[in-house]
Amino acid sequence: MKTFVALMKREILDGKNGYVWTPVILAGLTVALVAMSAAGFGNVIEFNDMEVHNIGNFSEMLARGMAEKPDDIPAGMTIAYWGMSVLTWIAFPFVVFFSLLGSLYEERRDRSILFWKSMPVADWMEVLAKLVTPIFVSPFIFLGVVIAAQLAIAILLSLVVIVQGGPVLALWPLGLMVGSWFSMVGHYMIWALWALPILAWVLLVSAYANRMPFLWAVLTPVVLMVVEELLFDTQTLAMWIGDHLAGWQGEAFAHIKDDFQGPRDVFATIIGNMQWDALTYSVSNPSFWIGLVIAGGFVFGAIELRKRAV
Amino acid sequence: MTENVIEARGLGKHFGDFSALKNVNLDVPLGRIVGVIGANGAGKTTMLNAVLGLTSYEGELKVLGHNPAKERDALMKDVCFIADVATLPKWMKVVDVLDYVEAVHPRFSRAKAMDFLSRTNVPLDRKVRALSKGMTVQLHLAVVMSIDARLLVLDEPTLGLDVIFRKRFYQSLLEEYFDEERTVIITTHQVEEVEHILTDVIFIRDGEIVLEADMDELTQQFIEVMVAPGKEDEAKALRPIRQSSTFGRATCVYKNIDRETLAKLGETRRLGLADIFVATMTGEGQ
């Protein structure tokens, strides 16, 4: 276990730019943007389904919201904070993809594999560390940065509201914020397990390709899709990949009503039922399990290639 | 002395039609410093890679009781190596390298490594990428010499180092690292720098071991004579394996001829390992 922790630490150190600096810079940028808008243009921030008139500044808007829809403000603020985290999360899938793609390729290219192999560390452990770190560790770094950014934004807005003399406490729906952080983790874990065969494929390519791993990773499935289309006039592979990347959620959440009654309703659904729906839908879905088996096969292949690589 | 570090029987490695190693049989006991000498592409690295579990092979091979192809990770607790290219990860800081090795290697002594490094100019907070070639090698050597291994394999360890450091390195290898519980295998082109520390040599050519010998016995076999004037015919009659002339005097090299007999012909001296290698490889010594 000590060895595995050391390997994950090494992976994070190696991928520091992607895992740490990317979210820090993007979240910092977001906080800066919010600071500028909150200070200069108090009326830029909008709440979608609220009718707001004659807004003088941010505090006035908040006070009015509290007066008209007091139940929706906490959920609305939490969702707004997440909206302000989008910029950071956009980078996340790219970081995961390129970390996996380089993980077993770069060490062969720069020959550092010979140094890693001079240590008493099994190849399966190396490969698992290179799979687990981007998929199951790096999201927590991103989340940590996002949480810090959400708190920073809340503090900034609080300062503005204090100066303007508005209802500061409305900016701190802490219970909901903490709840949203946890449900985000839950939802991500299920998503990651669905996407695991695709992510493990990228890892396999990283162990296999001697050149141009990106083309191998992307073109191989594209060529297979085209061949399938031409030969059988079907799109099974494309559908399957789409399903595992995101499409499964359509089915899993199909029964959720889409006539939400304001932010509170949306939030209650996200935080309450969706995790459970996703979990029950996934474990009872053969495609979910088949995907995990395929992922296992790809990881096994990557380990075997790592054993032979010099 | 009966315990062998390496036992190879019929070891081979083929890439298609090309045989990088052919039917190698080898026993290397503990407590030796073995020089593996051969031209580029002779199979030195292939043989060492097989021993280190870095490549598949045919035949039987046991290294410290392990099957290297299947148990590399267990083997690496007792075996340490530096490959012939710079392999330290360039993105790591020197101190990160030490942290990592300390975390994954049960036999690594950080105190020892710090001691070795304190004698160099390697800065701990610098990235490997920013180190000079010589410093990178110094760092790598400091790491492996701080691991309490039983077999150390060094493939061209001092490439790119200046002569002062090379001398110092071989000296500390001998004085601070080597003992009868360890074996060191060295390949290098700078034969004259290692020959005084070697206990055994292996000559390898075209994937085959041409010669495996005890260093003392080997160097006693070859004697070079600066033939005294007038004794040229006598010298020729003893059938030297090589003759040349320097400064107008004939120089003859003999194999397996009694030193006292040769002393009558002129001044004698032992032949250097590099010359023995050349003599053996060109077939003169056979």
Side-chain angles (χ1 to χ4, degrees), chain B residues 73-135:
Chain B
D73 50 317
L75 186 64
M76 286 303 145
K77 286 201 171 82
D78 292 314
V79 178
C80 220
F81 70 88
I82 297 188
D84 64 336
V85 286
T87 60
L88 285 180
K90 298 190 175 41
W91 51 267
M92 263 187 167
K93 282 184 185 163
V94 174
V95 67
D96 296 334
V97 174
L98 299 181
D99 287 346
Y100 174 77
V101 179
E102 192 177 24
V104 302
H105 209 305
R107 306 246 167 97
F108 174 73
S109 156
R110 194 186 183 106
K112 255 190 201 170
M114 295 304 284
D115 179 42
F116 282 122
L117 285 175
S118 70
R119 294 179 235 164
T120 69
N121 297 321
V122 178
L124 290 180
D125 57 346
R126 188 90 62 86
K127 283 198 174 171
V128 172
R129 178 181 289 115
L131 297 178
S132 70
K133 201 173 172 190
M135 282 183 187

Side-chain angles (χ1 to χ4, degrees), chain A residues 2-3 6-7 10 13-14 110-112 114-123 126 310, chain B residues 54 72-73 76-77 81 83 85 87-89 91-92 96 100-106 140:
Chain A
K2 190 176 143 230
T3 302
L7 291 177
R10 180 197 70 192
L13 209 57
D14 186 8
D110 69 9
R111 307 299 304 274
S112 60
L114 286 169
F115 175 68
W116 308 127
K117 284 207 170 193
S118 75
M119 293 291 137
V121 180
D123 293 290
E126 288 270 6
V310 178
Chain B
L54 296 174
R72 181 192 56 78
D73 50 317
M76 286 303 145
K77 286 201 171 82
F81 70 88
V85 286
T87 60
L88 285 180
W91 51 267
M92 263 187 167
D96 296 334
Y100 174 77
V101 179
E102 192 177 24
V104 302
H105 209 305
H140 206 161

Side-chain angles (χ1 to χ4, degrees), chain A:
Chain A
M1 197 58 211
K2 190 176 143 230
T3 302
F4 198 70
V5 171
L7 291 177
M8 292 195 295
K9 252 169 84 180
R10 180 197 70 192
E11 289 306 307
I12 289 169
L13 209 57
D14 186 8
K16 213 167 162 187
N17 287 342
Y19 296 144
V20 180
W21 292 119
T22 303
V24 164
I25 288 168
L26 290 175
L29 203 66
T30 309
V31 174
L33 285 175
V34 171
M36 283 182 343
S37 11
F41 325 92
N43 49 359
V44 168
I45 298 164
E46 289 173 20
F47 287 91
N48 265 343
D49 83 329
M50 260 176 275
E51 285 180 36
V52 196
H53 305 286
N54 309 321
I55 293 178
N57 60 28
F58 181 58
S59 288
E60 233 172 84
M61 178 180 81
L62 202 60
R64 196 181 281 236
M66 284 297 276
E68 285 174 13
K69 295 196 170 183
D71 293 345
D72 276 331
I73 287 295
M77 278 316 296
T78 309
I79 293 173
Y81 288 141
W82 274 100
M84 290 176 229
S85 310
V86 165
L87 185 62
T88 310
W89 287 114
I90 284 175
F92 179 69
F94 292 95
V95 168
V96 172
F97 176 81
F98 284 104
S99 298
L100 287 170
L101 195 63
S103 61
L104 291 162
Y105 172 75
E106 291 296 334
E107 62 167 17
R108 287 182 291 132
R109 211 179 53 153
D110 69 9
R111 307 299 304 274
S112 60
I113 186 171
L114 286 169
F115 175 68
W116 308 127
K117 284 207 170 193
S118 75
M119 293 291 137
V121 180
D123 293 290
W124 64 263
M125 219 189 235
E126 288 270 6
V127 173
L128 276 193
K130 285 168 188 294
L131 181 77
V132 167
T133 308
I135 302 177
F136 295 110
V137 178
S138 80
F140 288 96
I141 304 176
F142 269 70
L143 183 63
V145 173
V146 162
I147 288 173
Q150 290 187 351
L151 295 176
I153 290 171
I155 290 170
L156 265 170
L157 294 181
S158 300
L159 290 177
V160 172
V161 171
I162 287 171
V163 171
Q164 294 172 343
V168 177
L169 283 181
L171 294 169
W172 292 92
L174 272 178
L176 293 187
M177 286 167 76
V178 173
S180 72
W181 300 336
F182 278 103
S183 41
M184 184 269 161
V185 171
H187 191 74
Y188 170 80
M189 288 300 158
I190 298 167
W191 176 86
L193 291 177
W194 271 97
L196 207 57
I198 290 138
L199 299 172
W201 159 255
V202 179
L203 187 77
L204 178 69
V205 169
S206 165
Y208 169 77
N210 285 326
R211 298 172 57 207
M212 301 185 289
F214 181 81
L215 289 185
W216 275 103
V218 175
L219 273 189
T220 313
V222 168
V223 167
L224 287 177
M225 283 179 212
V226 171
V227 169
E228 188 200 331
E229 173 79 46
L230 291 177
L231 288 184
F232 308 108
D233 199 21
T234 56
Q235 295 92 30
T236 320
L237 181 61
M239 300 278 283
W240 192 86
I241 291 175
D243 241 14
H244 277 259
L245 277 181
W248 60 274
Q249 298 172 97
E251 287 262 333
F253 305 137
H255 62 282
I256 293 178
K257 60 190 171 71
D258 53 2
D259 52 339
F260 293 114
Q261 307 290 319
R264 192 174 55 133
D265 202 12
V266 174
F267 199 79
T269 310
I270 292 175
I271 217 172
N273 310 328
M274 275 174 80
Q275 321 309 319
W276 184 246
D277 287 346
L279 190 65
T280 49
Y281 173 79
S282 300
V283 295
S284 60
N285 190 313
S287 184
F288 174 80
W289 295 107
I290 292 169
L292 287 181
V293 170
I294 292 174
F298 286 159
V299 172
F300 177 79
I303 293 171
E304 288 303 309
L305 287 168
R306 175 62 156 64
K307 280 185 192 166
R308 288 161 181 75
V310 178

